[in-house]
Amino acid sequence: MADVAKAAGVSHQTVSRVLNDHPNVRPETRTRVLEAIDELGYRRNLVARALVTRHSRTLGVVSFNTTLFGPASTVDGIEQAARAAGYFVSIVSLRTIDTAGMRDAIDYLADQGVDGIVVVAPQRSAAGAFDGLPRGMPAVAVEGQHVGEVSVVSVDQANGARLATEHLLDLGHETVWHVSGPSDWLEAEGRIEGWRTALEAAGRTPPEPLAGDWSPRSGYVAGRRLAAMAEQVTAVFVANDQMALGVLRAFTEEGVKVPEQISIVGFDDIPESEFFSPPLTTIRQDFGAVGRGSIEVLLRQIETGQACERERLVVPPRFVTRASTSPSR
């Protein structure tokens, strides 16, 4: 910084003001300083800055199975929001999720000096990880559940499932079958809850869900079973679009026409959904809003020093109508 100040003919404090976007710097002075920075190839020493400010401007993110569309999109939304707020992101992605693994990841990030931690915690088995948070560490759980004083940001899964089920009932279908996600996933629980609530509110007895694991293959297996019951099945709500793809494949092989014989609604609105055959009616999750919300909640904790301030932010889903549903015949 001293070299930059000398080259620009200004004080050390003026260089600091320019680097920190302070408003009380004349435009011509700011230009001289920036030109000197560029000429000298100056880069701020973030480690030294962190020692002075006690802030690393880095946030930690713990996630699981980022090969799945939902977790991957959630992490991308978080990273984009963090960068927009002027923070770097350090990501630890776990292959399996359990309390010990989550705690190790949190300890690793805390040792790196991150200012706060976002944990993408979609499974019940992740709940105990928050017991190991360093005292006073700002933290947010995304798609998780309230554990102690940890804040949570999530999509309203139950409401999305309710919208999907009500859409099918409004089309005149007597009932709606469900291909669910894995039982230990909180998102799967919320979607079952919304589906069941909508059916019961309409005076219908929910049929037994067919369990899947989020993969197209599990949807295909469920689709074969549903196709065998085509005489009594006219509408299906599938807990994610990838399983819906498998259901569609099974129906095609079995000669079941969609939506003429069976209507299908998915969940997530993955980029490929509009190119399914037929294009898939689905529930869209706003992962950008989830990312922005989680970073906003985390930064409030960092800036106010209220690391244990408990908040819950719920992001509404949106219904997307395409060609995979039609009135019951």
Side-chain angles (χ1 to χ4, degrees):
M1 287 181 67
D3 292 338
V4 171
K6 182 178 179 180
V10 299
S11 68
H12 179 281
Q13 289 83 0
T14 298
V15 175
S16 179
R17 290 191 187 102
V18 170
L19 289 171
N20 290 289
D21 292 323
H22 196 283
N24 293 336
V25 179
R26 289 182 298 177
E28 57 271 24
T29 302
R30 186 183 301 278
T31 298
R32 285 209 317 276
V33 171
L34 292 175
E35 287 174 349
I37 287 172
D38 185 57
E39 182 180 344
L40 296 173
Y42 172 76
R43 294 292 183 273
R44 278 198 278 189
N45 188 325
L46 296 179
V47 175
R49 185 172 185 270
L51 289 172
V52 173
T53 64
R54 296 188 179 182
H55 288 291
S56 65
R57 303 294 294 183
T58 300
L59 304 177
V61 177
V62 181
S63 187
F64 160 70
N65 199 350
T66 50
T67 61
L68 292 173
F69 177 76
S73 299
T74 300
V75 170
D76 181 67
I78 291 168
E79 185 173 15
Q80 295 298 325
R83 289 175 65 85
Y87 280 79
F88 296 100
V89 173
S90 180
I91 300 173
V92 177
S93 181
L94 303 175
R95 292 183 64 84
T96 59
I97 193 165
D98 55 42
T99 299
M102 294 288 280
R103 286 181 178 176
D104 287 346
I106 289 172
D107 287 345
Y108 171 80
L109 291 169
D111 289 345
Q112 303 307 306
V114 297
D115 294 336
I117 295 176
V118 180
V119 180
V120 182
Q123 291 180 281
R124 288 198 172 277
S125 53
F130 295 99
D131 296 337
L133 275 173
R135 184 175 179 83
M137 171 65 75
V140 175
V142 177
E143 293 301 343
Q145 58 182 334
H146 270 311
V147 181
E149 298 301 320
V150 176
S151 296
V152 174
V153 177
S154 62
V155 173
D156 192 338
Q157 307 291 338
N159 185 47
R162 182 184 59 79
L163 291 173
T165 307
E166 289 179 348
H167 168 74
L168 292 166
L169 292 174
D170 290 344
L171 289 173
H173 296 280
E174 182 61 27
T175 192
V176 177
W177 291 73
H178 182 46
V179 179
S180 69
S183 60
D184 59 335
W185 282 65
L186 297 166
E187 294 160 309
E189 286 183 13
R191 293 170 199 180
I192 287 178
E193 177 191 341
W195 162 74
R196 182 174 288 123
T197 298
L199 286 177
E200 291 175 347
R204 318 294 166 80
T205 301
E208 188 67 24
L210 284 70
D213 62 8
W214 301 131
S215 71
R217 174 160 293 280
S218 69
Y220 176 80
V221 171
R224 294 290 296 269
R225 292 177 59 190
L226 290 166
M229 302 184 293
E231 291 298 321
Q232 52 185 308
V233 177
T234 66
V236 183
F237 163 50
V238 187
N240 79 336
D241 292 351
Q242 289 172 319
M243 290 194 298
L245 177 61
V247 172
L248 285 168
R249 170 66 179 269
F251 284 177
T252 298
E253 290 184 358
E254 296 298 320
V256 176
K257 295 182 179 180
V258 177
E260 290 84 357
Q261 291 174 263
I262 300 180
S263 291
I264 299 179
V265 177
F267 205 110
D268 279 342
D269 194 25
I270 64 175
E272 297 84 2
S273 294
E274 64 177 310
F275 301 103
F276 286 4
S277 182
L280 186 67
T281 296
T282 188
I283 302 296
R284 177 177 297 165
Q285 301 196 75
D286 190 340
F287 294 106
V290 171
R292 290 189 297 273
S294 61
I295 295 303
E296 288 170 3
V297 170
L298 191 63
L299 293 187
R300 276 198 291 273
Q301 296 180 30
I302 293 170
E303 292 164 2
T304 63
Q306 300 295 317
C308 292
E309 190 69 24
R310 175 170 161 169
E311 294 184 59
R312 180 168 184 86
L313 176 63
V314 178
V315 177
R318 187 162 74 83
F319 189 79
V320 179
T321 304
R322 296 195 180 104
S324 65
T325 60
S326 67
S328 177
R329 290 178 173 82

